[in-house]
Amino acid sequence: MQITVLAGLNSKFGELWDISPRDLVKEVFHGTLKNSNMNKNDIDVVFVGNMLAGTLGGQNHLGAFFAEELGLERPAIRVEGACCSGGLAVHSAVLGISSGIYQTALVIGVEKMTDHKPEKVAEALMGAGSDLERDAGASFPALYALIARAHMEKYGTSEEEMAAVAVKNHYHASLNSHAQFRNPISIEKVLKSPMIASPLKLLDCSPISDGASALILSSKSKALSLKKDDPGVNIVSSVVATDTLGLSERKDLTTLNAVVTASCKAYKMANIDPGDIDVAEVHDCFTIAEIIAMEDLGFFPRGQAGKAILEGKTRLGGRPVVNTSGGLKAAGHPVGATGVKQIVEIYQQLMGVSGKKQVKNAKIGLTHNVGGSGATAVIHILKRG
Amino acid sequence: MTISPVKIWRNQKKVRAFLGKTGRIITWTKVHVPPCSFTSQAPYVIIVVEIDKNLRFTAQLVDWEETNLKTGQTVKAILRKTRDPGLEGVIPYGIKFKPI
């Protein structure tokens, strides 16, 4: 499978009270279109990744909503899968192009969360959990706290190791002009931040954010007809897997089965091993999630990832470099945008245009986008040339 | 978010089957920052309980002391109000656990 990324762009992520979702999407669309050297009429279809516009904003019909806003009289489809809505929108575009029905697709990821009070957003996000979890008042931090405690007891993972994820991602975000939090932090600061759901503290958690991301994807043949001398960046794997909605239906809480299943298939599809990945954007909605991602993706043996992160093995200069954007933790987590943003970040890394956060000679990159507490996982692998 | 009274009525039929069951805590967390509908209960404890090899349950733990907050603690399923009643005024009841 070869789908070419023609262009991709992220808006600034953060508390963007003066910008509406319409304006966020318009900004990233026009910027992406300009970078792709294409005409609006070249776009055959629009996929919109979003989770909360219906629950929080009262607008569910986002395909038509943004098609109208962007002046695109084209098929337009909204895709939802909790926090991996963006990744699923990219996957849907890949399917559409692979089918031969569409040649060129616009993928939008967007979320507007900070217009609403945090308790309301926390409740809306619980829509991704099981009935039992919602009845128990299990917020998202609570679900990942249950996972964190299980991982700590089984492998001896420490709160310092979890804190090291946030410290690394804040450092990377300090090099990203579009990130929500660009302030460096220390392990001590994470450990002393207020408790949210024990053992997770405020600085173990990704923030509530606004933001939008856009991608233009096309079939390789169409891309070749446009850019004769540049092989560009291609998506070589796009895999989705699902697991049970709730934690109590799972045998092991220290791994996300959907990620293991999807990543194994993705490596096979790309004909590579985990060791071939130069740079990865992973779903660090909570610091424990990045530790488990490192193990589920096969980057480190079980129980070893926390230590490796603490030693700086996944920081700029290490390998694989993880979350050069700052991840969800520090770049921000507008949930519908995140999965699209991850592809944009890897695309920029493989094109060599990432500036201060550039990973030297990055040739192969991976994105890991997770919905709920692991019920859906979307893995993409991208290659230069 | 208000829950439909019909849904409350439908779900309460399932509750009876779990009352009185015992199990062990697999993992737990104490929630300090609650979502809407749970603000009056915070801080509260959520546990995953293993009732038997093939049955686990996620619910709140009530009547606890700090010494009960550990994996392996035995607990028993009881009936409790689960969240603040919405505008419909129907009080949702469901399963919570207490240490034994």
mmCIF file with all atom_site columns, all heavy atoms in Angstrom, chain A residues 123 126 134 136-137 146 149 153 196-198 248, chain B residues 1 27-30 32 37-38 44 56 60 71 83:
data_model
loop_
_atom_site.group_PDB
_atom_site.id
_atom_site.type_symbol
_atom_site.label_atom_id
_atom_site.label_alt_id
_atom_site.label_comp_id
_atom_site.label_asym_id
_atom_site.label_entity_id
_atom_site.label_seq_id
_atom_site.pdbx_PDB_ins_code
_atom_site.Cartn_x
_atom_site.Cartn_y
_atom_site.Cartn_z
_atom_site.occupancy
_atom_site.B_iso_or_equiv
_atom_site.pdbx_formal_charge
_atom_site.auth_seq_id
_atom_site.auth_comp_id
_atom_site.auth_asym_id
_atom_site.auth_atom_id
_atom_site.pdbx_PDB_model_num
ATOM 1   N N   . GLU A 1 123 ? -16.743 14.882 31.801 1.00 0.00 ? 123 GLU A N   1
ATOM 2   C CA  . GLU A 1 123 ? -17.938 14.049 31.671 1.00 0.00 ? 123 GLU A CA  1
ATOM 3   C C   . GLU A 1 123 ? -18.152 13.635 30.207 1.00 0.00 ? 123 GLU A C   1
ATOM 4   O O   . GLU A 1 123 ? -18.460 12.477 29.918 1.00 0.00 ? 123 GLU A O   1
ATOM 5   C CB  . GLU A 1 123 ? -19.170 14.798 32.179 1.00 0.00 ? 123 GLU A CB  1
ATOM 6   C CG  . GLU A 1 123 ? -20.419 13.930 32.223 1.00 0.00 ? 123 GLU A CG  1
ATOM 7   C CD  . GLU A 1 123 ? -21.648 14.706 32.670 1.00 0.00 ? 123 GLU A CD  1
ATOM 8   O OE1 . GLU A 1 123 ? -21.855 15.825 32.163 1.00 0.00 ? 123 GLU A OE1 1
ATOM 9   O OE2 . GLU A 1 123 ? -22.391 14.185 33.519 1.00 0.00 ? 123 GLU A OE2 1
ATOM 10  N N   . MET A 1 126 ? -15.964 10.879 29.155 1.00 0.00 ? 126 MET A N   1
ATOM 11  C CA  . MET A 1 126 ? -16.368 9.574  29.702 1.00 0.00 ? 126 MET A CA  1
ATOM 12  C C   . MET A 1 126 ? -17.270 8.818  28.738 1.00 0.00 ? 126 MET A C   1
ATOM 13  O O   . MET A 1 126 ? -17.495 7.615  28.901 1.00 0.00 ? 126 MET A O   1
ATOM 14  C CB  . MET A 1 126 ? -17.082 9.747  31.048 1.00 0.00 ? 126 MET A CB  1
ATOM 15  C CG  . MET A 1 126 ? -16.137 9.852  32.230 1.00 0.00 ? 126 MET A CG  1
ATOM 16  S SD  . MET A 1 126 ? -16.943 10.476 33.710 1.00 0.00 ? 126 MET A SD  1
ATOM 17  C CE  . MET A 1 126 ? -18.111 9.184  34.050 1.00 0.00 ? 126 MET A CE  1
ATOM 18  N N   . ARG A 1 134 ? -18.726 4.443  33.570 1.00 0.00 ? 134 ARG A N   1
ATOM 19  C CA  . ARG A 1 134 ? -19.430 5.721  33.685 1.00 0.00 ? 134 ARG A CA  1
ATOM 20  C C   . ARG A 1 134 ? -20.242 5.773  34.978 1.00 0.00 ? 134 ARG A C   1
ATOM 21  O O   . ARG A 1 134 ? -20.322 6.810  35.624 1.00 0.00 ? 134 ARG A O   1
ATOM 22  C CB  . ARG A 1 134 ? -20.288 5.976  32.452 1.00 0.00 ? 134 ARG A CB  1
ATOM 23  C CG  . ARG A 1 134 ? -19.426 6.528  31.308 1.00 0.00 ? 134 ARG A CG  1
ATOM 24  C CD  . ARG A 1 134 ? -20.222 6.848  30.085 1.00 0.00 ? 134 ARG A CD  1
ATOM 25  N NE  . ARG A 1 134 ? -20.617 5.633  29.408 1.00 0.00 ? 134 ARG A NE  1
ATOM 26  C CZ  . ARG A 1 134 ? -21.824 5.387  28.921 1.00 0.00 ? 134 ARG A CZ  1
ATOM 27  N NH1 . ARG A 1 134 ? -22.771 6.275  29.050 1.00 0.00 ? 134 ARG A NH1 1
ATOM 28  N NH2 . ARG A 1 134 ? -22.067 4.260  28.297 1.00 0.00 ? 134 ARG A NH2 1
ATOM 29  N N   . ALA A 1 136 ? -19.432 4.365  37.695 1.00 0.00 ? 136 ALA A N   1
ATOM 30  C CA  . ALA A 1 136 ? -18.497 4.463  38.825 1.00 0.00 ? 136 ALA A CA  1
ATOM 31  C C   . ALA A 1 136 ? -17.892 5.861  38.930 1.00 0.00 ? 136 ALA A C   1
ATOM 32  O O   . ALA A 1 136 ? -17.217 6.165  39.902 1.00 0.00 ? 136 ALA A O   1
ATOM 33  C CB  . ALA A 1 136 ? -17.390 3.423  38.666 1.00 0.00 ? 136 ALA A CB  1
ATOM 34  N N   . GLY A 1 137 ? -18.132 6.697  37.924 1.00 0.00 ? 137 GLY A N   1
ATOM 35  C CA  . GLY A 1 137 ? -17.505 8.026  37.930 1.00 0.00 ? 137 GLY A CA  1
ATOM 36  C C   . GLY A 1 137 ? -16.045 7.947  37.536 1.00 0.00 ? 137 GLY A C   1
ATOM 37  O O   . GLY A 1 137 ? -15.219 8.745  37.982 1.00 0.00 ? 137 GLY A O   1
ATOM 38  N N   . LEU A 1 146 ? -5.852  3.333  37.072 1.00 0.00 ? 146 LEU A N   1
ATOM 39  C CA  . LEU A 1 146 ? -6.036  1.899  37.362 1.00 0.00 ? 146 LEU A CA  1
ATOM 40  C C   . LEU A 1 146 ? -4.991  1.082  36.591 1.00 0.00 ? 146 LEU A C   1
ATOM 41  O O   . LEU A 1 146 ? -4.420  0.116  37.111 1.00 0.00 ? 146 LEU A O   1
ATOM 42  C CB  . LEU A 1 146 ? -7.454  1.455  36.975 1.00 0.00 ? 146 LEU A CB  1
ATOM 43  C CG  . LEU A 1 146 ? -8.600  2.030  37.831 1.00 0.00 ? 146 LEU A CG  1
ATOM 44  C CD1 . LEU A 1 146 ? -9.961  1.759  37.180 1.00 0.00 ? 146 LEU A CD1 1
ATOM 45  C CD2 . LEU A 1 146 ? -8.577  1.461  39.250 1.00 0.00 ? 146 LEU A CD2 1
ATOM 46  N N   . ARG A 1 149 ? -1.419  1.699  38.209 1.00 0.00 ? 149 ARG A N   1
ATOM 47  C CA  . ARG A 1 149 ? -1.178  0.944  39.440 1.00 0.00 ? 149 ARG A CA  1
ATOM 48  C C   . ARG A 1 149 ? -0.859  -0.522 39.108 1.00 0.00 ? 149 ARG A C   1
ATOM 49  O O   . ARG A 1 149 ? 0.046   -1.114 39.706 1.00 0.00 ? 149 ARG A O   1
ATOM 50  C CB  . ARG A 1 149 ? -2.392  1.040  40.367 1.00 0.00 ? 149 ARG A CB  1
ATOM 51  C CG  . ARG A 1 149 ? -2.275  0.226  41.609 1.00 0.00 ? 149 ARG A CG  1
ATOM 52  C CD  . ARG A 1 149 ? -2.275  0.970  42.922 1.00 0.00 ? 149 ARG A CD  1
ATOM 53  N NE  . ARG A 1 149 ? -3.045  2.174  42.962 1.00 0.00 ? 149 ARG A NE  1
ATOM 54  C CZ  . ARG A 1 149 ? -2.643  3.256  43.629 1.00 0.00 ? 149 ARG A CZ  1
ATOM 55  N NH1 . ARG A 1 149 ? -1.484  3.256  44.264 1.00 0.00 ? 149 ARG A NH1 1
ATOM 56  N NH2 . ARG A 1 149 ? -3.398  4.331  43.653 1.00 0.00 ? 149 ARG A NH2 1
ATOM 57  N N   . GLU A 1 153 ? 2.664   -2.403 40.026 1.00 0.00 ? 153 GLU A N   1
ATOM 58  C CA  . GLU A 1 153 ? 2.736   -3.596 40.878 1.00 0.00 ? 153 GLU A CA  1
ATOM 59  C C   . GLU A 1 153 ? 3.387   -4.764 40.159 1.00 0.00 ? 153 GLU A C   1
ATOM 60  O O   . GLU A 1 153 ? 4.101   -5.546 40.766 1.00 0.00 ? 153 GLU A O   1
ATOM 61  C CB  . GLU A 1 153 ? 1.340   -3.958 41.398 1.00 0.00 ? 153 GLU A CB  1
ATOM 62  C CG  . GLU A 1 153 ? 0.783   -2.839 42.275 1.00 0.00 ? 153 GLU A CG  1
ATOM 63  C CD  . GLU A 1 153 ? -0.003  -3.316 43.481 1.00 0.00 ? 153 GLU A CD  1
ATOM 64  O OE1 . GLU A 1 153 ? -0.396  -4.501 43.509 1.00 0.00 ? 153 GLU A OE1 1
ATOM 65  O OE2 . GLU A 1 153 ? -0.224  -2.487 44.393 1.00 0.00 ? 153 GLU A OE2 1
ATOM 66  N N   . ILE A 1 196 ? -4.571  14.010 40.832 1.00 0.00 ? 196 ILE A N   1
ATOM 67  C CA  . ILE A 1 196 ? -5.821  14.010 40.055 1.00 0.00 ? 196 ILE A CA  1
ATOM 68  C C   . ILE A 1 196 ? -6.570  12.702 40.337 1.00 0.00 ? 196 ILE A C   1
ATOM 69  O O   . ILE A 1 196 ? -7.710  12.701 40.785 1.00 0.00 ? 196 ILE A O   1
ATOM 70  C CB  . ILE A 1 196 ? -5.535  14.141 38.539 1.00 0.00 ? 196 ILE A CB  1
ATOM 71  C CG1 . ILE A 1 196 ? -4.755  15.433 38.248 1.00 0.00 ? 196 ILE A CG1 1
ATOM 72  C CG2 . ILE A 1 196 ? -6.846  14.090 37.741 1.00 0.00 ? 196 ILE A CG2 1
ATOM 73  C CD1 . ILE A 1 196 ? -5.496  16.721 38.527 1.00 0.00 ? 196 ILE A CD1 1
ATOM 74  N N   . ALA A 1 197 ? -5.924  11.579 40.034 1.00 0.00 ? 197 ALA A N   1
ATOM 75  C CA  . ALA A 1 197 ? -6.446  10.242 40.360 1.00 0.00 ? 197 ALA A CA  1
ATOM 76  C C   . ALA A 1 197 ? -5.203  9.424  40.679 1.00 0.00 ? 197 ALA A C   1
ATOM 77  O O   . ALA A 1 197 ? -4.419  9.145  39.777 1.00 0.00 ? 197 ALA A O   1
ATOM 78  C CB  . ALA A 1 197 ? -7.223  9.648  39.197 1.00 0.00 ? 197 ALA A CB  1
ATOM 79  N N   . SER A 1 198 ? -5.012  9.072  41.948 1.00 0.00 ? 198 SER A N   1
ATOM 80  C CA  . SER A 1 198 ? -3.749  8.468  42.383 1.00 0.00 ? 198 SER A CA  1
ATOM 81  C C   . SER A 1 198 ? -3.451  7.211  41.564 1.00 0.00 ? 198 SER A C   1
ATOM 82  O O   . SER A 1 198 ? -4.368  6.429  41.307 1.00 0.00 ? 198 SER A O   1
ATOM 83  C CB  . SER A 1 198 ? -3.823  8.121  43.876 1.00 0.00 ? 198 SER A CB  1
ATOM 84  O OG  . SER A 1 198 ? -4.808  7.126  44.090 1.00 0.00 ? 198 SER A OG  1
ATOM 85  N N   . SER A 1 248 ? -12.564 -3.912 32.866 1.00 0.00 ? 248 SER A N   1
ATOM 86  C CA  . SER A 1 248 ? -12.834 -5.135 33.630 1.00 0.00 ? 248 SER A CA  1
ATOM 87  C C   . SER A 1 248 ? -13.024 -6.349 32.714 1.00 0.00 ? 248 SER A C   1
ATOM 88  O O   . SER A 1 248 ? -13.042 -7.477 33.185 1.00 0.00 ? 248 SER A O   1
ATOM 89  C CB  . SER A 1 248 ? -14.040 -4.949 34.550 1.00 0.00 ? 248 SER A CB  1
ATOM 90  O OG  . SER A 1 248 ? -15.144 -4.493 33.827 1.00 0.00 ? 248 SER A OG  1
ATOM 91  N N   . MET B 2 1   ? -24.722 14.881 33.279 1.00 0.00 ? 1   MET B N   1
ATOM 92  C CA  . MET B 2 1   ? -25.641 14.466 32.209 1.00 0.00 ? 1   MET B CA  1
ATOM 93  C C   . MET B 2 1   ? -26.799 13.677 32.816 1.00 0.00 ? 1   MET B C   1
ATOM 94  O O   . MET B 2 1   ? -26.588 12.768 33.601 1.00 0.00 ? 1   MET B O   1
ATOM 95  C CB  . MET B 2 1   ? -24.882 13.578 31.215 1.00 0.00 ? 1   MET B CB  1
ATOM 96  C CG  . MET B 2 1   ? -25.563 13.457 29.883 1.00 0.00 ? 1   MET B CG  1
ATOM 97  S SD  . MET B 2 1   ? -24.571 12.457 28.754 1.00 0.00 ? 1   MET B SD  1
ATOM 98  C CE  . MET B 2 1   ? -23.130 13.512 28.547 1.00 0.00 ? 1   MET B CE  1
ATOM 99  N N   . THR B 2 27  ? -6.856  -3.653 41.136 1.00 0.00 ? 27  THR B N   1
ATOM 100 C CA  . THR B 2 27  ? -6.172  -2.359 41.076 1.00 0.00 ? 27  THR B CA  1
ATOM 101 C C   . THR B 2 27  ? -7.148  -1.286 41.558 1.00 0.00 ? 27  THR B C   1
ATOM 102 O O   . THR B 2 27  ? -8.364  -1.525 41.590 1.00 0.00 ? 27  THR B O   1
ATOM 103 C CB  . THR B 2 27  ? -5.657  -2.064 39.647 1.00 0.00 ? 27  THR B CB  1
ATOM 104 O OG1 . THR B 2 27  ? -4.936  -0.820 39.642 1.00 0.00 ? 27  THR B OG1 1
ATOM 105 C CG2 . THR B 2 27  ? -6.779  -1.966 38.633 1.00 0.00 ? 27  THR B CG2 1
ATOM 106 N N   . TRP B 2 28  ? -6.610  -0.141 41.996 1.00 0.00 ? 28  TRP B N   1
ATOM 107 C CA  . TRP B 2 28  ? -7.482  0.895  42.548 1.00 0.00 ? 28  TRP B CA  1
ATOM 108 C C   . TRP B 2 28  ? -6.904  2.282  42.287 1.00 0.00 ? 28  TRP B C   1
ATOM 109 O O   . TRP B 2 28  ? -5.720  2.429  41.994 1.00 0.00 ? 28  TRP B O   1
ATOM 110 C CB  . TRP B 2 28  ? -7.668  0.694  44.066 1.00 0.00 ? 28  TRP B CB  1
ATOM 111 C CG  . TRP B 2 28  ? -6.382  0.801  44.848 1.00 0.00 ? 28  TRP B CG  1
ATOM 112 C CD1 . TRP B 2 28  ? -5.484  -0.200 45.088 1.00 0.00 ? 28  TRP B CD1 1
ATOM 113 C CD2 . TRP B 2 28  ? -5.835  1.980  45.459 1.00 0.00 ? 28  TRP B CD2 1
ATOM 114 N NE1 . TRP B 2 28  ? -4.421  0.265  45.815 1.00 0.00 ? 28  TRP B NE1 1
ATOM 115 C CE2 . TRP B 2 28  ? -4.609  1.607  46.065 1.00 0.00 ? 28  TRP B CE2 1
ATOM 116 C CE3 . TRP B 2 28  ? -6.281  3.291  45.578 1.00 0.00 ? 28  TRP B CE3 1
ATOM 117 C CZ2 . TRP B 2 28  ? -3.808  2.512  46.763 1.00 0.00 ? 28  TRP B CZ2 1
ATOM 118 C CZ3 . TRP B 2 28  ? -5.479  4.197  46.281 1.00 0.00 ? 28  TRP B CZ3 1
ATOM 119 C CH2 . TRP B 2 28  ? -4.256  3.803  46.861 1.00 0.00 ? 28  TRP B CH2 1
ATOM 120 N N   . THR B 2 29  ? -7.778  3.304  42.386 1.00 0.00 ? 29  THR B N   1
ATOM 121 C CA  . THR B 2 29  ? -7.332  4.696  42.322 1.00 0.00 ? 29  THR B CA  1
ATOM 122 C C   . THR B 2 29  ? -8.247  5.547  43.187 1.00 0.00 ? 29  THR B C   1
ATOM 123 O O   . THR B 2 29  ? -9.415  5.203  43.384 1.00 0.00 ? 29  THR B O   1
ATOM 124 C CB  . THR B 2 29  ? -7.348  5.226  40.865 1.00 0.00 ? 29  THR B CB  1
ATOM 125 O OG1 . THR B 2 29  ? -6.935  6.604  40.872 1.00 0.00 ? 29  THR B OG1 1
ATOM 126 C CG2 . THR B 2 29  ? -8.730  5.165  40.241 1.00 0.00 ? 29  THR B CG2 1
ATOM 127 N N   . LYS B 2 30  ? -7.698  6.629  43.738 1.00 0.00 ? 30  LYS B N   1
ATOM 128 C CA  . LYS B 2 30  ? -8.531  7.583  44.468 1.00 0.00 ? 30  LYS B CA  1
ATOM 129 C C   . LYS B 2 30  ? -8.686  8.818  43.587 1.00 0.00 ? 30  LYS B C   1
ATOM 130 O O   . LYS B 2 30  ? -7.685  9.446  43.224 1.00 0.00 ? 30  LYS B O   1
ATOM 131 C CB  . LYS B 2 30  ? -7.880  7.949  45.810 1.00 0.00 ? 30  LYS B CB  1
ATOM 132 C CG  . LYS B 2 30  ? -8.874  8.646  46.759 1.00 0.00 ? 30  LYS B CG  1
ATOM 133 C CD  . LYS B 2 30  ? -8.183  9.300  47.933 1.00 0.00 ? 30  LYS B CD  1
ATOM 134 C CE  . LYS B 2 30  ? -7.641  8.293  48.931 1.00 0.00 ? 30  LYS B CE  1
ATOM 135 N NZ  . LYS B 2 30  ? -7.009  8.987  50.100 1.00 0.00 ? 30  LYS B NZ  1
ATOM 136 N N   . HIS B 2 32  ? -9.516  12.501 42.847 1.00 0.00 ? 32  HIS B N   1
ATOM 137 C CA  . HIS B 2 32  ? -9.580  13.785 43.544 1.00 0.00 ? 32  HIS B CA  1
ATOM 138 C C   . HIS B 2 32  ? -10.303 14.846 42.722 1.00 0.00 ? 32  HIS B C   1
ATOM 139 O O   . HIS B 2 32  ? -10.832 15.795 43.266 1.00 0.00 ? 32  HIS B O   1
ATOM 140 C CB  . HIS B 2 32  ? -8.172  14.279 43.873 1.00 0.00 ? 32  HIS B CB  1
ATOM 141 C CG  . HIS B 2 32  ? -7.457  13.397 44.850 1.00 0.00 ? 32  HIS B CG  1
ATOM 142 N ND1 . HIS B 2 32  ? -7.367  13.706 46.191 1.00 0.00 ? 32  HIS B ND1 1
ATOM 143 C CD2 . HIS B 2 32  ? -6.843  12.202 44.696 1.00 0.00 ? 32  HIS B CD2 1
ATOM 144 C CE1 . HIS B 2 32  ? -6.692  12.735 46.815 1.00 0.00 ? 32  HIS B CE1 1
ATOM 145 N NE2 . HIS B 2 32  ? -6.366  11.816 45.925 1.00 0.00 ? 32  HIS B NE2 1
ATOM 146 N N   . SER B 2 37  ? -21.719 15.349 37.915 1.00 0.00 ? 37  SER B N   1
ATOM 147 C CA  . SER B 2 37  ? -22.567 14.281 38.470 1.00 0.00 ? 37  SER B CA  1
ATOM 148 C C   . SER B 2 37  ? -21.879 13.508 39.593 1.00 0.00 ? 37  SER B C   1
ATOM 149 O O   . SER B 2 37  ? -22.493 12.687 40.250 1.00 0.00 ? 37  SER B O   1
ATOM 150 C CB  . SER B 2 37  ? -23.027 13.241 37.427 1.00 0.00 ? 37  SER B CB  1
ATOM 151 O OG  . SER B 2 37  ? -23.519 13.851 36.293 1.00 0.00 ? 37  SER B OG  1
ATOM 152 N N   . PHE B 2 38  ? -20.571 13.726 39.795 1.00 0.00 ? 38  PHE B N   1
ATOM 153 C CA  . PHE B 2 38  ? -19.864 13.006 40.857 1.00 0.00 ? 38  PHE B CA  1
ATOM 154 C C   . PHE B 2 38  ? -19.157 13.956 41.814 1.00 0.00 ? 38  PHE B C   1
ATOM 155 O O   . PHE B 2 38  ? -18.425 13.519 42.688 1.00 0.00 ? 38  PHE B O   1
ATOM 156 C CB  . PHE B 2 38  ? -18.849 12.026 40.240 1.00 0.00 ? 38  PHE B CB  1
ATOM 157 C CG  . PHE B 2 38  ? -19.507 10.903 39.498 1.00 0.00 ? 38  PHE B CG  1
ATOM 158 C CD1 . PHE B 2 38  ? -19.792 11.029 38.148 1.00 0.00 ? 38  PHE B CD1 1
ATOM 159 C CD2 . PHE B 2 38  ? -19.892 9.745  40.148 1.00 0.00 ? 38  PHE B CD2 1
ATOM 160 C CE1 . PHE B 2 38  ? -20.434 10.008 37.461 1.00 0.00 ? 38  PHE B CE1 1
ATOM 161 C CE2 . PHE B 2 38  ? -20.538 8.714  39.466 1.00 0.00 ? 38  PHE B CE2 1
ATOM 162 C CZ  . PHE B 2 38  ? -20.807 8.844  38.118 1.00 0.00 ? 38  PHE B CZ  1
ATOM 163 N N   . TYR B 2 44  ? -13.245 10.006 45.843 1.00 0.00 ? 44  TYR B N   1
ATOM 164 C CA  . TYR B 2 44  ? -13.813 8.654  45.932 1.00 0.00 ? 44  TYR B CA  1
ATOM 165 C C   . TYR B 2 44  ? -12.834 7.640  45.324 1.00 0.00 ? 44  TYR B C   1
ATOM 166 O O   . TYR B 2 44  ? -11.946 8.008  44.561 1.00 0.00 ? 44  TYR B O   1
ATOM 167 C CB  . TYR B 2 44  ? -15.191 8.560  45.265 1.00 0.00 ? 44  TYR B CB  1
ATOM 168 C CG  . TYR B 2 44  ? -15.271 9.073  43.851 1.00 0.00 ? 44  TYR B CG  1
ATOM 169 C CD1 . TYR B 2 44  ? -14.981 8.249  42.766 1.00 0.00 ? 44  TYR B CD1 1
ATOM 170 C CD2 . TYR B 2 44  ? -15.656 10.392 43.592 1.00 0.00 ? 44  TYR B CD2 1
ATOM 171 C CE1 . TYR B 2 44  ? -15.074 8.716  41.465 1.00 0.00 ? 44  TYR B CE1 1
ATOM 172 C CE2 . TYR B 2 44  ? -15.749 10.878 42.289 1.00 0.00 ? 44  TYR B CE2 1
ATOM 173 C CZ  . TYR B 2 44  ? -15.457 10.040 41.230 1.00 0.00 ? 44  TYR B CZ  1
ATOM 174 O OH  . TYR B 2 44  ? -15.546 10.516 39.948 1.00 0.00 ? 44  TYR B OH  1
ATOM 175 N N   . ARG B 2 56  ? -14.796 -9.893 36.174 1.00 0.00 ? 56  ARG B N   1
ATOM 176 C CA  . ARG B 2 56  ? -14.271 -8.713 36.868 1.00 0.00 ? 56  ARG B CA  1
ATOM 177 C C   . ARG B 2 56  ? -15.303 -7.605 36.795 1.00 0.00 ? 56  ARG B C   1
ATOM 178 O O   . ARG B 2 56  ? -16.184 -7.628 35.937 1.00 0.00 ? 56  ARG B O   1
ATOM 179 C CB  . ARG B 2 56  ? -12.966 -8.255 36.209 1.00 0.00 ? 56  ARG B CB  1
ATOM 180 C CG  . ARG B 2 56  ? -11.806 -9.204 36.463 1.00 0.00 ? 56  ARG B CG  1
ATOM 181 C CD  . ARG B 2 56  ? -10.543 -8.675 35.825 1.00 0.00 ? 56  ARG B CD  1
ATOM 182 N NE  . ARG B 2 56  ? -9.391  -9.498 36.156 1.00 0.00 ? 56  ARG B NE  1
ATOM 183 C CZ  . ARG B 2 56  ? -8.139  -9.136 35.897 1.00 0.00 ? 56  ARG B CZ  1
ATOM 184 N NH1 . ARG B 2 56  ? -7.876  -7.975 35.325 1.00 0.00 ? 56  ARG B NH1 1
ATOM 185 N NH2 . ARG B 2 56  ? -7.135  -9.934 36.227 1.00 0.00 ? 56  ARG B NH2 1
ATOM 186 N N   . GLN B 2 60  ? -17.157 1.728  42.401 1.00 0.00 ? 60  GLN B N   1
ATOM 187 C CA  . GLN B 2 60  ? -16.584 2.468  43.524 1.00 0.00 ? 60  GLN B CA  1
ATOM 188 C C   . GLN B 2 60  ? -16.467 1.591  44.769 1.00 0.00 ? 60  GLN B C   1
ATOM 189 O O   . GLN B 2 60  ? -17.256 0.664  44.954 1.00 0.00 ? 60  GLN B O   1
ATOM 190 C CB  . GLN B 2 60  ? -17.460 3.682  43.863 1.00 0.00 ? 60  GLN B CB  1
ATOM 191 C CG  . GLN B 2 60  ? -17.216 4.866  42.945 1.00 0.00 ? 60  GLN B CG  1
ATOM 192 C CD  . GLN B 2 60  ? -17.948 6.106  43.425 1.00 0.00 ? 60  GLN B CD  1
ATOM 193 O OE1 . GLN B 2 60  ? -18.262 6.242  44.614 1.00 0.00 ? 60  GLN B OE1 1
ATOM 194 N NE2 . GLN B 2 60  ? -18.224 7.016  42.501 1.00 0.00 ? 60  GLN B NE2 1
ATOM 195 N N   . THR B 2 71  ? -4.134  -3.821 46.667 1.00 0.00 ? 71  THR B N   1
ATOM 196 C CA  . THR B 2 71  ? -4.561  -4.951 45.842 1.00 0.00 ? 71  THR B CA  1
ATOM 197 C C   . THR B 2 71  ? -4.613  -6.176 46.749 1.00 0.00 ? 71  THR B C   1
ATOM 198 O O   . THR B 2 71  ? -3.830  -6.304 47.697 1.00 0.00 ? 71  THR B O   1
ATOM 199 C CB  . THR B 2 71  ? -3.594  -5.186 44.668 1.00 0.00 ? 71  THR B CB  1
ATOM 200 O OG1 . THR B 2 71  ? -2.281  -5.329 45.185 1.00 0.00 ? 71  THR B OG1 1
ATOM 201 C CG2 . THR B 2 71  ? -3.606  -4.018 43.701 1.00 0.00 ? 71  THR B CG2 1
ATOM 202 N N   . ARG B 2 83  ? -24.899 8.177  41.304 1.00 0.00 ? 83  ARG B N   1
ATOM 203 C CA  . ARG B 2 83  ? -24.541 9.551  40.950 1.00 0.00 ? 83  ARG B CA  1
ATOM 204 C C   . ARG B 2 83  ? -25.664 10.499 41.329 1.00 0.00 ? 83  ARG B C   1
ATOM 205 O O   . ARG B 2 83  ? -26.738 10.067 41.711 1.00 0.00 ? 83  ARG B O   1
ATOM 206 C CB  . ARG B 2 83  ? -24.199 9.664  39.473 1.00 0.00 ? 83  ARG B CB  1
ATOM 207 C CG  . ARG B 2 83  ? -25.342 9.296  38.544 1.00 0.00 ? 83  ARG B CG  1
ATOM 208 C CD  . ARG B 2 83  ? -24.997 9.646  37.120 1.00 0.00 ? 83  ARG B CD  1
ATOM 209 N NE  . ARG B 2 83  ? -24.327 8.550  36.437 1.00 0.00 ? 83  ARG B NE  1
ATOM 210 C CZ  . ARG B 2 83  ? -23.729 8.668  35.262 1.00 0.00 ? 83  ARG B CZ  1
ATOM 211 N NH1 . ARG B 2 83  ? -23.669 9.835  34.674 1.00 0.00 ? 83  ARG B NH1 1
ATOM 212 N NH2 . ARG B 2 83  ? -23.186 7.635  34.681 1.00 0.00 ? 83  ARG B NH2 1
#
